[in-house]
Amino acid sequence: SPAPAPASPLAAAAAVAVAAARAGQPEGGRRAGGAGDPEPADEGAWRGQERRASRRSSRWLRLHVHQQDYAVELLKVQEVLLPVPVLPMRDTSPAILGVMNLRGVVVPVLDLGLWLGLEEVQDTPQTRYVVLEQNGECLALKVTAVLDVHAIADADIEPAEHTLAAPESAMLSGVTRLNSQPVILLDAAGLLG
């Protein structure tokens, strides 16, 4: 026997919508993705992800060497220490002060001032060793002072080739500004390499 007719125009519209959904087509018989169709829901989500990607940021530890601010990525920082005794080593770069014992691990200590072609970092009450770690490799940077931690958006980092730093420029990630002051971002992986 024939199916009873829907009781109202609303019920008729609902029946058409159910039939279209079962057939995998939107209401009205148009195929999904055709010209003039509204944007699929997941497309809008994708655009949101692109916006989030453009605002991605990472956290950096800002430190001071003489009169300039530098920063290293916080994920690579194992700890910050007061200066400890260092055992000098022969036949190394003048920037390598020697090695220190960090809980049974031998860690080279690099004077960041000398490595950057500046003067040696002098010992003051603010002097710190910043210990970097990656894949089991450690290195301590002797710096004038450790300042604070900042979240820096990827879009706010200029490429390192814009800096005037000479041979060490390969160890730079880029340059940014914090409180209108330039901050040179150091590549911790390059330093540890």
Side-chain angles (χ1 to χ4, degrees), residues 110-169:
L110 176 76
D111 185 309
L112 195 54
L114 290 175
W115 182 82
L116 292 165
L118 306 170
E119 296 176 6
E120 180 181 353
V121 172
Q122 300 298 318
D123 287 321
T124 71
Q126 287 76 39
T127 303
R128 296 291 183 271
Y129 288 177
V130 178
V131 181
L132 307 179
E133 190 275 332
Q134 178 174 283
N135 300 328
E137 297 292 323
C138 290
L139 173 69
L141 306 177
K142 183 179 182 182
V143 301
T144 305
V146 170
L147 303 176
D148 46 25
V149 173
H150 286 271
I152 301 174
D154 293 355
D156 294 336
I157 299 174
E158 297 177 28
E161 55 263 22
H162 295 317
T163 68
L164 298 177
E168 294 81 14
S169 59

Side-chain angles (χ1 to χ4, degrees), residues 61 63-65 70-73 76-77 79-83 95-98 100 107-113 115-116 121 126-133 138-146 171 186-192:
L61 177 69
L63 40 96
H64 206 62
V65 177
Y70 296 85
V72 290
E73 195 172 5
K76 303 288 193 302
V77 176
E79 58 191 296
V80 176
L81 304 171
L82 290 167
I96 301 291
L97 300 177
M100 68 176 187
V107 178
V109 179
L110 176 76
D111 185 309
L112 195 54
W115 182 82
L116 292 165
V121 172
Q126 287 76 39
T127 303
R128 296 291 183 271
Y129 288 177
V130 178
V131 181
L132 307 179
E133 190 275 332
C138 290
L139 173 69
L141 306 177
K142 183 179 182 182
V143 301
T144 305
V146 170
M171 304 298 184
L186 301 173
D187 181 2
L191 285 164
L192 287 159

